[in-house]
mmCIF file with all atom_site columns, all heavy atoms in Angstrom:
data_model
loop_
_atom_site.group_PDB
_atom_site.id
_atom_site.type_symbol
_atom_site.label_atom_id
_atom_site.label_alt_id
_atom_site.label_comp_id
_atom_site.label_asym_id
_atom_site.label_entity_id
_atom_site.label_seq_id
_atom_site.pdbx_PDB_ins_code
_atom_site.Cartn_x
_atom_site.Cartn_y
_atom_site.Cartn_z
_atom_site.occupancy
_atom_site.B_iso_or_equiv
_atom_site.pdbx_formal_charge
_atom_site.auth_seq_id
_atom_site.auth_comp_id
_atom_site.auth_asym_id
_atom_site.auth_atom_id
_atom_site.pdbx_PDB_model_num
ATOM 1   N N   . LEU A 1 1  ? 20.514 1.631  -8.318  1.00 96.00 ? 119 LEU A N   1
ATOM 2   C CA  . LEU A 1 1  ? 19.717 2.638  -7.610  1.00 96.00 ? 119 LEU A CA  1
ATOM 3   C C   . LEU A 1 1  ? 18.808 1.932  -6.608  1.00 96.00 ? 119 LEU A C   1
ATOM 4   O O   . LEU A 1 1  ? 18.545 0.735  -6.726  1.00 96.00 ? 119 LEU A O   1
ATOM 5   C CB  . LEU A 1 1  ? 18.869 3.453  -8.594  1.00 96.00 ? 119 LEU A CB  1
ATOM 6   C CG  . LEU A 1 1  ? 19.639 4.268  -9.644  1.00 96.00 ? 119 LEU A CG  1
ATOM 7   C CD1 . LEU A 1 1  ? 18.678 4.884  -10.649 1.00 96.00 ? 119 LEU A CD1 1
ATOM 8   C CD2 . LEU A 1 1  ? 20.480 5.361  -8.985  1.00 96.00 ? 119 LEU A CD2 1
ATOM 9   N N   . ASP A 1 2  ? 18.311 2.681  -5.605  1.00 93.00 ? 120 ASP A N   1
ATOM 10  C CA  . ASP A 1 2  ? 17.420 2.041  -4.628  1.00 93.00 ? 120 ASP A CA  1
ATOM 11  C C   . ASP A 1 2  ? 15.994 2.543  -4.800  1.00 93.00 ? 120 ASP A C   1
ATOM 12  O O   . ASP A 1 2  ? 15.719 3.458  -5.586  1.00 93.00 ? 120 ASP A O   1
ATOM 13  C CB  . ASP A 1 2  ? 17.918 2.249  -3.191  1.00 93.00 ? 120 ASP A CB  1
ATOM 14  C CG  . ASP A 1 2  ? 17.990 3.716  -2.794  1.00 93.00 ? 120 ASP A CG  1
ATOM 15  O OD1 . ASP A 1 2  ? 16.981 4.429  -2.986  1.00 93.00 ? 120 ASP A OD1 1
ATOM 16  O OD2 . ASP A 1 2  ? 19.050 4.159  -2.294  1.00 93.00 ? 120 ASP A OD2 1
ATOM 17  N N   . ASP A 1 3  ? 15.078 1.960  -4.048  1.00 92.00 ? 121 ASP A N   1
ATOM 18  C CA  . ASP A 1 3  ? 13.660 2.247  -4.269  1.00 92.00 ? 121 ASP A CA  1
ATOM 19  C C   . ASP A 1 3  ? 13.229 3.630  -3.814  1.00 92.00 ? 121 ASP A C   1
ATOM 20  O O   . ASP A 1 3  ? 12.094 4.039  -4.067  1.00 92.00 ? 121 ASP A O   1
ATOM 21  C CB  . ASP A 1 3  ? 12.774 1.176  -3.634  1.00 92.00 ? 121 ASP A CB  1
ATOM 22  C CG  . ASP A 1 3  ? 12.936 1.079  -2.126  1.00 92.00 ? 121 ASP A CG  1
ATOM 23  O OD1 . ASP A 1 3  ? 13.746 1.844  -1.556  1.00 92.00 ? 121 ASP A OD1 1
ATOM 24  O OD2 . ASP A 1 3  ? 12.254 0.242  -1.508  1.00 92.00 ? 121 ASP A OD2 1
ATOM 25  N N   . SER A 1 4  ? 14.124 4.378  -3.178  1.00 94.00 ? 122 SER A N   1
ATOM 26  C CA  . SER A 1 4  ? 13.780 5.767  -2.842  1.00 94.00 ? 122 SER A CA  1
ATOM 27  C C   . SER A 1 4  ? 13.592 6.609  -4.097  1.00 94.00 ? 122 SER A C   1
ATOM 28  O O   . SER A 1 4  ? 12.979 7.687  -4.049  1.00 94.00 ? 122 SER A O   1
ATOM 29  C CB  . SER A 1 4  ? 14.860 6.386  -1.954  1.00 94.00 ? 122 SER A CB  1
ATOM 30  O OG  . SER A 1 4  ? 16.092 6.507  -2.665  1.00 94.00 ? 122 SER A OG  1
ATOM 31  N N   . ALA A 1 5  ? 14.107 6.121  -5.229  1.00 95.00 ? 123 ALA A N   1
ATOM 32  C CA  . ALA A 1 5  ? 13.970 6.850  -6.491  1.00 95.00 ? 123 ALA A CA  1
ATOM 33  C C   . ALA A 1 5  ? 12.564 6.766  -7.067  1.00 95.00 ? 123 ALA A C   1
ATOM 34  O O   . ALA A 1 5  ? 12.188 7.583  -7.908  1.00 95.00 ? 123 ALA A O   1
ATOM 35  C CB  . ALA A 1 5  ? 14.967 6.311  -7.518  1.00 95.00 ? 123 ALA A CB  1
ATOM 36  N N   . LEU A 1 6  ? 11.778 5.792  -6.629  1.00 96.00 ? 124 LEU A N   1
ATOM 37  C CA  . LEU A 1 6  ? 10.502 5.511  -7.291  1.00 96.00 ? 124 LEU A CA  1
ATOM 38  C C   . LEU A 1 6  ? 9.528  6.684  -7.266  1.00 96.00 ? 124 LEU A C   1
ATOM 39  O O   . LEU A 1 6  ? 8.775  6.891  -8.219  1.00 96.00 ? 124 LEU A O   1
ATOM 40  C CB  . LEU A 1 6  ? 9.837  4.284  -6.647  1.00 96.00 ? 124 LEU A CB  1
ATOM 41  C CG  . LEU A 1 6  ? 10.522 2.947  -6.915  1.00 96.00 ? 124 LEU A CG  1
ATOM 42  C CD1 . LEU A 1 6  ? 9.859  1.844  -6.094  1.00 96.00 ? 124 LEU A CD1 1
ATOM 43  C CD2 . LEU A 1 6  ? 10.473 2.610  -8.402  1.00 96.00 ? 124 LEU A CD2 1
ATOM 44  N N   . THR A 1 7  ? 9.532  7.464  -6.195  1.00 96.00 ? 125 THR A N   1
ATOM 45  C CA  . THR A 1 7  ? 8.556  8.553  -6.061  1.00 96.00 ? 125 THR A CA  1
ATOM 46  C C   . THR A 1 7  ? 9.087  9.888  -6.564  1.00 96.00 ? 125 THR A C   1
ATOM 47  O O   . THR A 1 7  ? 8.389  10.900 -6.475  1.00 96.00 ? 125 THR A O   1
ATOM 48  C CB  . THR A 1 7  ? 8.138  8.704  -4.586  1.00 96.00 ? 125 THR A CB  1
ATOM 49  O OG1 . THR A 1 7  ? 9.309  8.956  -3.790  1.00 96.00 ? 125 THR A OG1 1
ATOM 50  C CG2 . THR A 1 7  ? 7.446  7.443  -4.089  1.00 96.00 ? 125 THR A CG2 1
ATOM 51  N N   . ARG A 1 8  ? 10.297 9.894  -7.090  1.00 96.00 ? 126 ARG A N   1
ATOM 52  C CA  . ARG A 1 8  ? 10.917 11.148 -7.521  1.00 96.00 ? 126 ARG A CA  1
ATOM 53  C C   . ARG A 1 8  ? 10.747 11.353 -9.025  1.00 96.00 ? 126 ARG A C   1
ATOM 54  O O   . ARG A 1 8  ? 10.384 10.444 -9.770  1.00 96.00 ? 126 ARG A O   1
ATOM 55  C CB  . ARG A 1 8  ? 12.395 11.146 -7.128  1.00 96.00 ? 126 ARG A CB  1
ATOM 56  C CG  . ARG A 1 8  ? 12.600 11.091 -5.618  1.00 96.00 ? 126 ARG A CG  1
ATOM 57  C CD  . ARG A 1 8  ? 13.995 10.642 -5.247  1.00 96.00 ? 126 ARG A CD  1
ATOM 58  N NE  . ARG A 1 8  ? 15.012 11.590 -5.684  1.00 96.00 ? 126 ARG A NE  1
ATOM 59  C CZ  . ARG A 1 8  ? 16.317 11.342 -5.614  1.00 96.00 ? 126 ARG A CZ  1
ATOM 60  N NH1 . ARG A 1 8  ? 16.749 10.176 -5.139  1.00 96.00 ? 126 ARG A NH1 1
ATOM 61  N NH2 . ARG A 1 8  ? 17.192 12.251 -6.020  1.00 96.00 ? 126 ARG A NH2 1
ATOM 62  N N   . TYR A 1 9  ? 11.052 12.594 -9.467  1.00 96.00 ? 127 TYR A N   1
ATOM 63  C CA  . TYR A 1 9  ? 10.920 12.966 -10.870 1.00 96.00 ? 127 TYR A CA  1
ATOM 64  C C   . TYR A 1 9  ? 12.304 13.048 -11.530 1.00 96.00 ? 127 TYR A C   1
ATOM 65  O O   . TYR A 1 9  ? 13.321 13.226 -10.835 1.00 96.00 ? 127 TYR A O   1
ATOM 66  C CB  . TYR A 1 9  ? 10.211 14.321 -10.990 1.00 96.00 ? 127 TYR A CB  1
ATOM 67  C CG  . TYR A 1 9  ? 8.743  14.275 -10.629 1.00 96.00 ? 127 TYR A CG  1
ATOM 68  C CD1 . TYR A 1 9  ? 8.317  14.558 -9.317  1.00 96.00 ? 127 TYR A CD1 1
ATOM 69  C CD2 . TYR A 1 9  ? 7.779  13.953 -11.584 1.00 96.00 ? 127 TYR A CD2 1
ATOM 70  C CE1 . TYR A 1 9  ? 6.975  14.519 -8.976  1.00 96.00 ? 127 TYR A CE1 1
ATOM 71  C CE2 . TYR A 1 9  ? 6.435  13.915 -11.250 1.00 96.00 ? 127 TYR A CE2 1
ATOM 72  C CZ  . TYR A 1 9  ? 6.031  14.190 -9.951  1.00 96.00 ? 127 TYR A CZ  1
ATOM 73  O OH  . TYR A 1 9  ? 4.705  14.144 -9.623  1.00 96.00 ? 127 TYR A OH  1
ATOM 74  N N   . PRO A 1 10 ? 12.365 12.940 -12.863 1.00 94.00 ? 128 PRO A N   1
ATOM 75  C CA  . PRO A 1 10 ? 13.658 12.929 -13.557 1.00 94.00 ? 128 PRO A CA  1
ATOM 76  C C   . PRO A 1 10 ? 14.578 14.099 -13.235 1.00 94.00 ? 128 PRO A C   1
ATOM 77  O O   . PRO A 1 10 ? 15.795 13.923 -13.154 1.00 94.00 ? 128 PRO A O   1
ATOM 78  C CB  . PRO A 1 10 ? 13.253 12.923 -15.035 1.00 94.00 ? 128 PRO A CB  1
ATOM 79  C CG  . PRO A 1 10 ? 11.949 12.206 -15.056 1.00 94.00 ? 128 PRO A CG  1
ATOM 80  C CD  . PRO A 1 10 ? 11.253 12.649 -13.789 1.00 94.00 ? 128 PRO A CD  1
ATOM 81  N N   . HIS A 1 11 ? 14.008 15.308 -13.037 1.00 94.00 ? 129 HIS A N   1
ATOM 82  C CA  . HIS A 1 11 ? 14.864 16.473 -12.820 1.00 94.00 ? 129 HIS A CA  1
ATOM 83  C C   . HIS A 1 11 ? 15.641 16.393 -11.502 1.00 94.00 ? 129 HIS A C   1
ATOM 84  O O   . HIS A 1 11 ? 16.583 17.158 -11.286 1.00 94.00 ? 129 HIS A O   1
ATOM 85  C CB  . HIS A 1 11 ? 14.031 17.766 -12.863 1.00 94.00 ? 129 HIS A CB  1
ATOM 86  C CG  . HIS A 1 11 ? 13.163 17.966 -11.651 1.00 94.00 ? 129 HIS A CG  1
ATOM 87  N ND1 . HIS A 1 11 ? 11.855 17.541 -11.604 1.00 94.00 ? 129 HIS A ND1 1
ATOM 88  C CD2 . HIS A 1 11 ? 13.428 18.548 -10.454 1.00 94.00 ? 129 HIS A CD2 1
ATOM 89  C CE1 . HIS A 1 11 ? 11.342 17.854 -10.414 1.00 94.00 ? 129 HIS A CE1 1
ATOM 90  N NE2 . HIS A 1 11 ? 12.274 18.465 -9.704  1.00 94.00 ? 129 HIS A NE2 1
ATOM 91  N N   . GLU A 1 12 ? 15.267 15.461 -10.635 1.00 96.00 ? 130 GLU A N   1
ATOM 92  C CA  . GLU A 1 12 ? 15.936 15.323 -9.350  1.00 96.00 ? 130 GLU A CA  1
ATOM 93  C C   . GLU A 1 12 ? 17.195 14.442 -9.430  1.00 96.00 ? 130 GLU A C   1
ATOM 94  O O   . GLU A 1 12 ? 17.862 14.241 -8.416  1.00 96.00 ? 130 GLU A O   1
ATOM 95  C CB  . GLU A 1 12 ? 14.963 14.736 -8.322  1.00 96.00 ? 130 GLU A CB  1
ATOM 96  C CG  . GLU A 1 12 ? 13.728 15.593 -8.078  1.00 96.00 ? 130 GLU A CG  1
ATOM 97  C CD  . GLU A 1 12 ? 12.772 14.957 -7.097  1.00 96.00 ? 130 GLU A CD  1
ATOM 98  O OE1 . GLU A 1 12 ? 13.165 14.794 -5.913  1.00 96.00 ? 130 GLU A OE1 1
ATOM 99  O OE2 . GLU A 1 12 ? 11.653 14.593 -7.496  1.00 96.00 ? 130 GLU A OE2 1
ATOM 100 N N   . PHE A 1 13 ? 17.512 13.964 -10.635 1.00 95.00 ? 131 PHE A N   1
ATOM 101 C CA  . PHE A 1 13 ? 18.633 13.041 -10.794 1.00 95.00 ? 131 PHE A CA  1
ATOM 102 C C   . PHE A 1 13 ? 19.707 13.635 -11.697 1.00 95.00 ? 131 PHE A C   1
ATOM 103 O O   . PHE A 1 13 ? 19.439 14.478 -12.548 1.00 95.00 ? 131 PHE A O   1
ATOM 104 C CB  . PHE A 1 13 ? 18.154 11.718 -11.396 1.00 95.00 ? 131 PHE A CB  1
ATOM 105 C CG  . PHE A 1 13 ? 17.181 10.970 -10.521 1.00 95.00 ? 131 PHE A CG  1
ATOM 106 C CD1 . PHE A 1 13 ? 15.819 11.181 -10.653 1.00 95.00 ? 131 PHE A CD1 1
ATOM 107 C CD2 . PHE A 1 13 ? 17.631 10.083 -9.558  1.00 95.00 ? 131 PHE A CD2 1
ATOM 108 C CE1 . PHE A 1 13 ? 14.918 10.506 -9.857  1.00 95.00 ? 131 PHE A CE1 1
ATOM 109 C CE2 . PHE A 1 13 ? 16.745 9.401  -8.755  1.00 95.00 ? 131 PHE A CE2 1
ATOM 110 C CZ  . PHE A 1 13 ? 15.382 9.608  -8.896  1.00 95.00 ? 131 PHE A CZ  1
ATOM 111 N N   . SER A 1 14 ? 20.924 13.140 -11.520 1.00 93.00 ? 132 SER A N   1
ATOM 112 C CA  . SER A 1 14 ? 22.028 13.534 -12.392 1.00 93.00 ? 132 SER A CA  1
ATOM 113 C C   . SER A 1 14 ? 21.890 12.838 -13.745 1.00 93.00 ? 132 SER A C   1
ATOM 114 O O   . SER A 1 14 ? 21.073 11.927 -13.919 1.00 93.00 ? 132 SER A O   1
ATOM 115 C CB  . SER A 1 14 ? 23.358 13.127 -11.758 1.00 93.00 ? 132 SER A CB  1
ATOM 116 O OG  . SER A 1 14 ? 23.468 11.710 -11.715 1.00 93.00 ? 132 SER A OG  1
ATOM 117 N N   . GLY A 1 15 ? 22.719 13.241 -14.702 1.00 92.00 ? 133 GLY A N   1
ATOM 118 C CA  . GLY A 1 15 ? 22.676 12.634 -16.023 1.00 92.00 ? 133 GLY A CA  1
ATOM 119 C C   . GLY A 1 15 ? 22.949 11.143 -15.985 1.00 92.00 ? 133 GLY A C   1
ATOM 120 O O   . GLY A 1 15 ? 22.270 10.349 -16.644 1.00 92.00 ? 133 GLY A O   1
ATOM 121 N N   . GLY A 1 16 ? 23.949 10.732 -15.212 1.00 93.00 ? 134 GLY A N   1
ATOM 122 C CA  . GLY A 1 16 ? 24.266 9.319  -15.115 1.00 93.00 ? 134 GLY A CA  1
ATOM 123 C C   . GLY A 1 16 ? 23.140 8.523  -14.478 1.00 93.00 ? 134 GLY A C   1
ATOM 124 O O   . GLY A 1 16 ? 22.837 7.399  -14.904 1.00 93.00 ? 134 GLY A O   1
ATOM 125 N N   . GLN A 1 17 ? 22.506 9.082  -13.448 1.00 95.00 ? 135 GLN A N   1
ATOM 126 C CA  . GLN A 1 17 ? 21.376 8.410  -12.815 1.00 95.00 ? 135 GLN A CA  1
ATOM 127 C C   . GLN A 1 17 ? 20.192 8.293  -13.773 1.00 95.00 ? 135 GLN A C   1
ATOM 128 O O   . GLN A 1 17 ? 19.505 7.266  -13.805 1.00 95.00 ? 135 GLN A O   1
ATOM 129 C CB  . GLN A 1 17 ? 20.967 9.166  -11.554 1.00 95.00 ? 135 GLN A CB  1
ATOM 130 C CG  . GLN A 1 17 ? 21.971 9.056  -10.420 1.00 95.00 ? 135 GLN A CG  1
ATOM 131 C CD  . GLN A 1 17 ? 21.640 9.977  -9.271  1.00 95.00 ? 135 GLN A CD  1
ATOM 132 O OE1 . GLN A 1 17 ? 21.138 11.105 -9.460  1.00 95.00 ? 135 GLN A OE1 1
ATOM 133 N NE2 . GLN A 1 17 ? 21.910 9.515  -8.060  1.00 95.00 ? 135 GLN A NE2 1
ATOM 134 N N   . ARG A 1 18 ? 19.972 9.335  -14.560 1.00 94.00 ? 136 ARG A N   1
ATOM 135 C CA  . ARG A 1 18 ? 18.875 9.269  -15.537 1.00 94.00 ? 136 ARG A CA  1
ATOM 136 C C   . ARG A 1 18 ? 19.130 8.183  -16.568 1.00 94.00 ? 136 ARG A C   1
ATOM 137 O O   . ARG A 1 18 ? 18.200 7.478  -16.981 1.00 94.00 ? 136 ARG A O   1
ATOM 138 C CB  . ARG A 1 18 ? 18.722 10.621 -16.240 1.00 94.00 ? 136 ARG A CB  1
ATOM 139 C CG  . ARG A 1 18 ? 18.236 11.731 -15.344 1.00 94.00 ? 136 ARG A CG  1
ATOM 140 C CD  . ARG A 1 18 ? 17.955 12.984 -16.140 1.00 94.00 ? 136 ARG A CD  1
ATOM 141 N NE  . ARG A 1 18 ? 18.069 14.176 -15.305 1.00 94.00 ? 136 ARG A NE  1
ATOM 142 C CZ  . ARG A 1 18 ? 17.608 15.368 -15.633 1.00 94.00 ? 136 ARG A CZ  1
ATOM 143 N NH1 . ARG A 1 18 ? 17.018 15.539 -16.802 1.00 94.00 ? 136 ARG A NH1 1
ATOM 144 N NH2 . ARG A 1 18 ? 17.752 16.391 -14.828 1.00 94.00 ? 136 ARG A NH2 1
ATOM 145 N N   . GLN A 1 19 ? 20.378 8.048  -16.995 1.00 95.00 ? 137 GLN A N   1
ATOM 146 C CA  . GLN A 1 19 ? 20.654 6.997  -17.966 1.00 95.00 ? 137 GLN A CA  1
ATOM 147 C C   . GLN A 1 19 ? 20.466 5.617  -17.336 1.00 95.00 ? 137 GLN A C   1
ATOM 148 O O   . GLN A 1 19 ? 20.025 4.682  -18.014 1.00 95.00 ? 137 GLN A O   1
ATOM 149 C CB  . GLN A 1 19 ? 22.057 7.152  -18.553 1.00 95.00 ? 137 GLN A CB  1
ATOM 150 C CG  . GLN A 1 19 ? 22.285 6.398  -19.851 1.00 95.00 ? 137 GLN A CG  1
ATOM 151 C CD  . GLN A 1 19 ? 21.377 6.826  -20.976 1.00 95.00 ? 137 GLN A CD  1
ATOM 152 O OE1 . GLN A 1 19 ? 20.150 6.691  -20.911 1.00 95.00 ? 137 GLN A OE1 1
ATOM 153 N NE2 . GLN A 1 19 ? 21.977 7.336  -22.045 1.00 95.00 ? 137 GLN A NE2 1
ATOM 154 N N   . ARG A 1 20 ? 20.761 5.475  -16.070 1.00 96.00 ? 138 ARG A N   1
ATOM 155 C CA  . ARG A 1 20 ? 20.492 4.216  -15.374 1.00 96.00 ? 138 ARG A CA  1
ATOM 156 C C   . ARG A 1 20 ? 18.987 3.930  -15.341 1.00 96.00 ? 138 ARG A C   1
ATOM 157 O O   . ARG A 1 20 ? 18.561 2.778  -15.480 1.00 96.00 ? 138 ARG A O   1
ATOM 158 C CB  . ARG A 1 20 ? 21.064 4.256  -13.956 1.00 96.00 ? 138 ARG A CB  1
ATOM 159 C CG  . ARG A 1 20 ? 22.590 4.178  -13.915 1.00 96.00 ? 138 ARG A CG  1
ATOM 160 C CD  . ARG A 1 20 ? 23.127 4.418  -12.517 1.00 96.00 ? 138 ARG A CD  1
ATOM 161 N NE  . ARG A 1 20 ? 24.579 4.470  -12.519 1.00 96.00 ? 138 ARG A NE  1
ATOM 162 C CZ  . ARG A 1 20 ? 25.376 3.435  -12.239 1.00 96.00 ? 138 ARG A CZ  1
ATOM 163 N NH1 . ARG A 1 20 ? 24.842 2.265  -11.912 1.00 96.00 ? 138 ARG A NH1 1
ATOM 164 N NH2 . ARG A 1 20 ? 26.689 3.558  -12.266 1.00 96.00 ? 138 ARG A NH2 1
ATOM 165 N N   . ILE A 1 21 ? 18.197 4.972  -15.151 1.00 96.00 ? 139 ILE A N   1
ATOM 166 C CA  . ILE A 1 21 ? 16.742 4.803  -15.177 1.00 96.00 ? 139 ILE A CA  1
ATOM 167 C C   . ILE A 1 21 ? 16.275 4.388  -16.574 1.00 96.00 ? 139 ILE A C   1
ATOM 168 O O   . ILE A 1 21 ? 15.408 3.522  -16.731 1.00 96.00 ? 139 ILE A O   1
ATOM 169 C CB  . ILE A 1 21 ? 16.047 6.107  -14.718 1.00 96.00 ? 139 ILE A CB  1
ATOM 170 C CG1 . ILE A 1 21 ? 16.353 6.373  -13.241 1.00 96.00 ? 139 ILE A CG1 1
ATOM 171 C CG2 . ILE A 1 21 ? 14.532 6.024  -14.943 1.00 96.00 ? 139 ILE A CG2 1
ATOM 172 C CD1 . ILE A 1 21 ? 15.999 7.765  -12.769 1.00 96.00 ? 139 ILE A CD1 1
ATOM 173 N N   . ASN A 1 22 ? 16.869 4.991  -17.607 1.00 96.00 ? 140 ASN A N   1
ATOM 174 C CA  . ASN A 1 22 ? 16.559 4.583  -18.979 1.00 96.00 ? 140 ASN A CA  1
ATOM 175 C C   . ASN A 1 22 ? 16.873 3.111  -19.199 1.00 96.00 ? 140 ASN A C   1
ATOM 176 O O   . ASN A 1 22 ? 16.103 2.384  -19.846 1.00 96.00 ? 140 ASN A O   1
ATOM 177 C CB  . ASN A 1 22 ? 17.378 5.419  -19.977 1.00 96.00 ? 140 ASN A CB  1
ATOM 178 C CG  . ASN A 1 22 ? 16.778 6.783  -20.221 1.00 96.00 ? 140 ASN A CG  1
ATOM 179 O OD1 . ASN A 1 22 ? 15.573 6.928  -20.276 1.00 96.00 ? 140 ASN A OD1 1
ATOM 180 N ND2 . ASN A 1 22 ? 17.624 7.778  -20.369 1.00 96.00 ? 140 ASN A ND2 1
ATOM 181 N N   . ILE A 1 23 ? 18.012 2.670  -18.689 1.00 97.00 ? 141 ILE A N   1
ATOM 182 C CA  . ILE A 1 23 ? 18.406 1.266  -18.846 1.00 97.00 ? 141 ILE A CA  1
ATOM 183 C C   . ILE A 1 23 ? 17.444 0.362  -18.084 1.00 97.00 ? 141 ILE A C   1
ATOM 184 O O   . ILE A 1 23 ? 17.049 -0.704 -18.582 1.00 97.00 ? 141 ILE A O   1
ATOM 185 C CB  . ILE A 1 23 ? 19.857 1.070  -18.380 1.00 97.00 ? 141 ILE A CB  1
ATOM 186 C CG1 . ILE A 1 23 ? 20.814 1.826  -19.311 1.00 97.00 ? 141 ILE A CG1 1
ATOM 187 C CG2 . ILE A 1 23 ? 20.218 -0.413 -18.343 1.00 97.00 ? 141 ILE A CG2 1
ATOM 188 C CD1 . ILE A 1 23 ? 22.237 1.937  -18.776 1.00 97.00 ? 141 ILE A CD1 1
ATOM 189 N N   . ALA A 1 24 ? 17.041 0.775  -16.878 1.00 97.00 ? 142 ALA A N   1
ATOM 190 C CA  . ALA A 1 24 ? 16.074 -0.011 -16.106 1.00 97.00 ? 142 ALA A CA  1
ATOM 191 C C   . ALA A 1 24 ? 14.771 -0.173 -16.873 1.00 97.00 ? 142 ALA A C   1
ATOM 192 O O   . ALA A 1 24 ? 14.187 -1.269 -16.912 1.00 97.00 ? 142 ALA A O   1
ATOM 193 C CB  . ALA A 1 24 ? 15.824 0.658  -14.754 1.00 97.00 ? 142 ALA A CB  1
ATOM 194 N N   . ARG A 1 25 ? 14.306 0.903  -17.478 1.00 96.00 ? 143 ARG A N   1
ATOM 195 C CA  . ARG A 1 25 ? 13.070 0.824  -18.281 1.00 96.00 ? 143 ARG A CA  1
ATOM 196 C C   . ARG A 1 25 ? 13.251 -0.137 -19.453 1.00 96.00 ? 143 ARG A C   1
ATOM 197 O O   . ARG A 1 25 ? 12.356 -0.925 -19.768 1.00 96.00 ? 143 ARG A O   1
ATOM 198 C CB  . ARG A 1 25 ? 12.685 2.208  -18.794 1.00 96.00 ? 143 ARG A CB  1
ATOM 199 C CG  . ARG A 1 25 ? 11.459 2.204  -19.706 1.00 96.00 ? 143 ARG A CG  1
ATOM 200 C CD  . ARG A 1 25 ? 11.028 3.600  -20.070 1.00 96.00 ? 143 ARG A CD  1
ATOM 201 N NE  . ARG A 1 25 ? 12.089 4.343  -20.745 1.00 96.00 ? 143 ARG A NE  1
ATOM 202 C CZ  . ARG A 1 25 ? 12.006 5.632  -21.061 1.00 96.00 ? 143 ARG A CZ  1
ATOM 203 N NH1 . ARG A 1 25 ? 10.914 6.316  -20.763 1.00 96.00 ? 143 ARG A NH1 1
ATOM 204 N NH2 . ARG A 1 25 ? 13.006 6.242  -21.673 1.00 96.00 ? 143 ARG A NH2 1
ATOM 205 N N   . ALA A 1 26 ? 14.418 -0.074 -20.106 1.00 96.00 ? 144 ALA A N   1
ATOM 206 C CA  . ALA A 1 26 ? 14.679 -0.955 -21.238 1.00 96.00 ? 144 ALA A CA  1
ATOM 207 C C   . ALA A 1 26 ? 14.696 -2.430 -20.820 1.00 96.00 ? 144 ALA A C   1
ATOM 208 O O   . ALA A 1 26 ? 14.346 -3.310 -21.616 1.00 96.00 ? 144 ALA A O   1
ATOM 209 C CB  . ALA A 1 26 ? 16.002 -0.585 -21.898 1.00 96.00 ? 144 ALA A CB  1
#
């Protein structure tokens, strides 16, 4: 994912993108 995601909220992403965010946090 790119840094444009940083200012957005979870509901703005697909399920796969959200799981990528979960992995990034981990």
Side-chain angles (χ1 to χ4, degrees):
L119 298 173
D120 61 51
D121 62 0
S122 66
L124 290 174
T125 58
R126 297 161 64 188
Y127 290 93
H129 73 267
E130 299 178 64
F131 297 91
S132 67
Q135 290 171 325
R136 292 187 205 195
Q137 198 61 297
R138 288 172 186 264
I139 294 167
N140 280 322
I141 294 168
R143 177 174 59 186

